[in-house]
Amino acid sequence: VWNPEGNPYLIKLGDTLGKISSTTYGTKKYWRNIWDNNRPLIKDPNKIFAGFTLYTPILDREVANQ
């Protein structure tokens, strides 16, 4: 069972997890957090598809400062 947490994000043509992280958090470094939050949907982080919805996790301050 997959219960995604966070905010929905509709993947656009040309998006990468790094670009989504940059758009959402202001830095590319949280791409792995997005991948971890969507593992059942994203088997390979280099292959995401426009039109799919993934969920960007809400990062707490402790995680954001790492």
Side-chain angles (χ1 to χ4, degrees):
V1 175
W2 179 46
N3 294 317
E5 295 181 4
N7 298 311
Y9 179 92
L10 181 63
I11 301 170
K12 298 175 209 67
L13 189 62
D15 271 346
T16 64
L17 293 180
K19 285 181 184 179
I20 295 168
S21 176
S22 185
T23 298
T24 305
Y25 305 114
T27 180
K28 292 182 178 185
K29 73 180 185 176
Y30 296 116
W31 72 268
R32 188 174 295 274
N33 296 75
I34 296 170
W35 183 31
D36 288 341
N37 196 52
N38 294 276
R39 287 277 178 138
L41 176 65
I42 305 171
K43 302 300 180 197
D44 181 342
N46 297 306
K47 294 181 182 177
I48 62 173
F49 303 97
F52 282 77
T53 298
L54 53 73
Y55 293 84
T56 56
I58 298 169
L59 302 177
D60 62 20
R61 290 186 183 267
E62 184 176 318
V63 172
N65 289 331
Q66 290 182 1

